[in-house]
Amino acid sequence: MTQTIAPRVRILVLLLLAATGLLLAGAGPASAHAALTGSDPQQGVVVDKAPTQVSLTFSEKVAMSDDSLRVLDPKGKRVDTGKPSEVSGTTYAVPLHSGLPDGTYTVTYQVVSEDSHPVAGAYTFSVGAPSKTTVSASGPTAGGGVVGWLYGFGRYVSYAGFIVMVGGAAFVLACWQRGSGVRALQRLVVSGWLALTSATLLLLLLRGSYTSSGKLGDIFDLNLLGQVLQTKTGASMVSRLLLLAAAALFIAVLFGAYDKREDQEKRDLTFGLSIGGTVVAAGLAASWAMAEHASTGLQTGIAMPVDVVHLLAVAAWLGGLTALLVTLYRADTPIERSAVRRFSRLAFGSVLTLVATGTYQSWRQLGSWSAFTDTTYGRLLLVKIGLVTLLVGIAWISRRWTARLGEGVAAEVHPTEADTTEADAAELEKEPVRASAAASGGEGDSKRAAQLARQQAAVDTARQRRQRDADPDRFGLRRSVLAEAGVAVVLLAVTTVLTQTEPGRTEEEAKAATSSSSSSATSSSGALTLDMAFDTGGEDGKGLVRIDLDPARVGANEMHVYVERPNGRGFDVPEVKVSFTLESQDIGPLPVVPDHITTGHWSANGIQLPVAGDWKIAVTVRTSDIDQTTVSKNAQIG
């Protein structure tokens, strides 16, 4: 039975790893976690006078280098001077050369958000009038290409290594202390340590290229590495490596001296290892929490400890599950039902913790119910919730197998000769004869005796494995735990992609800012027309005033005012005055007295509107010496 199961296990693992690879490959470049929410000049706008600087506003603070913000003329030459600087809060600006000629200019930016992910993009604006440009406005691709793929793979390996190392050690200390002497568990935990250490070193080397050029050749650039070490993310990785040195000492004690201690010494050592292991594991989890999603946005003082607890609960559940799977399939020593039950209780507590912390994280990152379906982060989160639900369902089946497991546990743990097969019994009967012959045969026979002893040990091991595999309840538990582990592999892949995806709250803010910018650009591209009915209250005091403003954007504008009677004919009133007020910026009223052109028609040129926004346009109409009124409407002017 074992021989037929092993190939299936290998095939299943390969399929799961392939699915994981597809998930990681499909993730593409890391999504921007800081959204561009505003710019000056705005995207697509045409300004009369060349600006002296370009400023960008993000949804959160970002880290900038000397080349993070660039402005290119139509021929692709840089027209920015100096270094980008923080203007206020989340707004950053770069100065421009004076006297820029007319044409279309391209603004490109590549920064690093507070949660460690690269953000890149580009847009255009024009001075005087739009022109052809040789510059692509698609902007650089942050976190893409081979370097981006390697970085995503390294993140997955680092999470997997952390879960296996911490969860495996917790399984031994909290559930099955006899497992400290089991080779398969020792190799599992050490493999987790090696995976986390090597992945962290890889991420540290890749980081500089990942957030800047994206070139493989820059991986070993010492200047980039030095810059990375000065960032929050670089410091967190260095801290992780130092904590892994302490973890190596913990593993050496757990699988070295621990199993050889007497009962009282073992109890004392268990307490010390539990405290020390918890501190090291929490520190490793904090190395992610302090540099990623939890470190930015709302309630960071609460979010970071919650994230640490969430990661520890994941490790205790999924890492312990991996340890149980290895024990059921690879360990020569059968695991007792009591140990499986202890892990079942540990897993149940971990699930409750995950539900509580995951609910808080979801609220914090999404911000609204609609974000579940309207954002990439929300849809991935729904997939993750579905996988967790499936995992809990399979775990419930595992608990049922655990309840049925071995009324004959004692026989499993201490097999007797009565449990051997007939072939084993026949083999054992021959051993005294062989041993006697070996004793009288000299050096050659002593080698034969050693060989027979090894064969006897192999027979005993095979007998124990056959007995272990013959238990239908244990076989059922093995299958259900294998299914849990398979779902857990995919769940970890989805979680890794989720950590590289823009939070739903930020994505919705970016969509709103883009919509507002698009609306402003639309209003700036053509004339604005407003119709307002008026009634001065006197005789012949009713009519309609129409305002035409062209091009309705920041800078100089041309205005035409038409006054009509109720029957649509031109109305020559004694006086018409117009004013512009931007209440949000406390600008105005800016008065304009148009010139009379012809019957019912007034005009004014060169009306300067300094700032884009929702302007209030008020028109005062006087129909007699004493009868006048003021009517107004608001309009978006870019």
Side-chain angles (χ1 to χ4, degrees):
M1 179 70 71
T2 306
Q3 292 178 348
T4 60
I5 290 176
R8 294 176 183 175
V9 173
R10 286 194 291 270
I11 292 172
L12 179 59
V13 169
L14 289 174
L15 288 174
L16 291 172
L17 290 176
T20 300
L22 289 174
L23 279 169
L24 289 172
S31 299
H33 291 201
L36 181 67
T37 58
S39 63
D40 185 18
Q42 292 183 341
Q43 180 175 353
V45 74
V46 180
V47 296
D48 284 329
K49 185 179 179 181
T52 58
Q53 67 174 22
V54 169
S55 63
L56 302 180
T57 302
F58 296 91
S59 59
E60 63 184 46
K61 283 185 173 293
V62 297
M64 283 203 170
S65 64
D66 293 351
D67 291 328
S68 289
L69 182 53
R70 302 188 303 163
V71 184
L72 309 174
D73 69 10
K75 295 182 180 180
K77 296 181 179 179
R78 293 185 64 169
V79 296
D80 55 282
T81 62
K83 301 178 181 178
S85 59
E86 181 179 330
V87 177
S88 61
T90 58
T91 300
Y92 304 83
V94 63
L96 303 179
H97 288 299
S98 59
L100 295 180
D102 291 354
T104 296
Y105 292 81
T106 303
V107 180
T108 69
Y109 57 91
Q110 182 160 317
V111 299
V112 180
S113 64
E114 254 194 329
D115 60 1
S116 80
H117 297 280
V119 183
Y123 74 91
T124 62
F125 71 92
S126 300
V127 176
S131 68
K132 292 183 179 180
T133 176
T134 61
V135 183
S136 172
S138 59
T141 301
V146 176
V147 171
W149 188 91
L150 287 173
Y151 197 86
F153 178 75
R155 286 171 59 84
Y156 177 83
V157 173
S158 65
Y159 280 125
F162 172 79
I163 288 172
V164 168
M165 180 185 71
V166 173
F171 178 81
V172 171
L173 277 176
C175 305
W176 194 39
Q177 295 179 5
R178 289 182 61 222
S180 61
V182 175
R183 283 280 183 169
L185 281 180
Q186 293 175 3
R187 287 195 292 267
L188 176 71
V189 175
V190 171
S191 297
W193 184 90
L194 289 173
L196 179 54
T197 303
S198 58
T200 302
L201 288 171
L202 175 65
L203 292 173
L204 198 56
L205 290 173
L206 290 170
R207 181 69 187 173
S209 177
Y210 174 70
T211 57
S212 57
S213 65
K215 298 177 181 178
L216 276 173
D218 290 341
I219 292 177
F220 299 103
D221 188 329
L222 295 181
N223 290 329
L224 281 177
L225 181 60
Q227 294 173 15
V228 169
L229 294 177
Q230 297 175 25
T231 65
K232 181 173 65 173
T233 304
S236 71
M237 290 184 187
V238 172
S239 300
R240 192 181 305 163
L241 290 172
L242 293 175
L243 286 166
L244 282 168
L249 178 62
F250 170 87
I251 292 171
V253 174
L254 178 63
F255 294 118
Y258 181 74
D259 192 48
K260 302 174 184 178
R261 300 288 181 178
E262 299 295 333
D263 289 345
Q264 181 59 43
E265 291 180 333
K266 184 176 286 189
R267 282 193 293 270
D268 295 339
L269 191 54
T270 299
F271 178 78
L273 286 173
S274 300
I275 298 298
T278 301
V279 171
V280 173
L284 288 170
S287 69
W288 279 286
M290 291 189 299
E292 297 194 353
H293 283 169
S295 64
T296 63
L298 301 174
Q299 302 177 351
T300 55
I302 299 175
M304 286 191 287
V306 167
D307 202 49
V308 169
V309 173
H310 188 83
L311 281 171
L312 292 177
V314 170
W317 182 22
L318 300 187
L321 183 68
T322 306
L324 178 59
L325 179 69
V326 169
T327 300
L328 290 171
Y329 275 94
R330 295 297 181 188
D332 294 332
T333 304
I335 187 171
E336 303 92 338
R337 179 173 63 177
S338 58
V340 180
R341 282 183 168 176
R342 282 192 290 271
F343 172 69
S344 183
R345 289 193 292 269
L346 175 64
F348 181 72
S350 299
V351 170
L352 292 180
T353 303
L354 287 174
V355 170
T357 56
T359 300
Y360 171 77
Q361 289 175 331
S362 300
W363 166 82
R364 183 174 176 272
Q365 299 293 359
L366 288 176
S368 66
W369 290 106
S370 62
F372 270 110
T373 55
D374 294 345
T375 65
T376 303
Y377 188 94
R379 290 188 288 270
L380 278 173
L381 189 58
L382 287 175
V383 173
K384 179 180 178 180
I385 292 172
L387 288 171
V388 171
T389 303
L390 176 61
L391 202 55
V392 171
I394 301 174
W396 178 78
I397 297 174
S398 298
R399 286 173 65 90
R400 293 183 61 188
W401 285 117
T402 302
R404 299 179 185 177
L405 191 63
E407 293 168 353
V409 170
E412 286 183 355
V413 179
H414 303 290
T416 63
E417 290 186 17
D419 297 317
T420 62
T421 63
E422 293 182 3
D424 292 337
E427 186 70 21
L428 288 172
E429 287 176 359
K430 299 177 184 178
E431 295 307 319
V433 177
R434 292 173 179 167
S436 176
S440 60
E443 181 179 352
D445 290 330
S446 65
K447 293 181 179 180
R448 176 61 177 164
Q451 182 182 7
L452 290 173
R454 289 194 297 270
Q455 291 175 347
Q456 178 62 36
V459 168
D460 292 340
T461 300
R463 182 182 65 242
Q464 291 183 22
R465 287 180 176 174
R466 281 195 297 271
Q467 180 187 13
R468 178 193 66 188
D469 297 338
D471 183 358
D473 296 326
R474 187 173 296 274
F475 179 71
L477 178 62
R478 290 171 66 186
R479 287 191 301 177
S480 63
V481 171
L482 179 62
E484 283 186 76
V487 176
V489 171
V490 180
L491 175 63
L492 180 58
V494 173
T495 302
T496 304
V497 175
L498 196 63
T499 62
Q500 299 182 95
T501 303
E502 184 176 351
R505 187 188 296 270
T506 308
E507 186 176 338
E508 289 192 325
E509 289 177 0
K511 287 180 180 178
T514 302
S515 175
S516 175
S517 174
S518 176
S519 175
S520 297
T522 301
S523 68
S524 68
S525 62
L528 172 71
T529 300
L530 297 175
D531 288 339
M532 294 172 274
F534 66 87
D535 183 359
T536 60
E539 184 179 355
D540 196 20
K542 294 182 179 180
L544 178 74
V545 61
R546 173 174 294 149
I547 299 290
D548 285 345
L549 192 67
D550 188 15
R553 56 176 167 80
V554 174
N557 289 265
E558 180 180 351
M559 182 184 69
H560 293 271
V561 182
Y562 300 92
V563 182
E564 299 176 354
R565 295 181 184 276
N567 60 9
R569 299 183 64 179
F571 191 177
D572 258 347
V573 297
E575 185 179 31
V576 174
K577 293 186 296 185
V578 182
S579 66
F580 295 82
T581 305
L582 184 60
E583 295 177 346
S584 62
Q585 301 280 344
D586 200 22
I587 298 176
L590 306 177
V592 177
V593 180
D595 298 324
H596 185 261
I597 305 299
T598 185
T599 302
H601 181 198
W602 289 258
S603 174
N605 294 320
I607 300 174
Q608 294 290 333
L609 299 178
V611 185
D614 188 25
W615 285 81
K616 177 183 177 182
I617 303 176
V619 183
T620 300
V621 179
R622 182 169 62 84
T623 57
S624 70
D625 291 340
I626 60 173
D627 298 319
Q628 74 173 34
T629 186
T630 300
V631 291
S632 65
K633 274 190 176 182
N634 280 37
Q636 184 70 32
I637 294 176

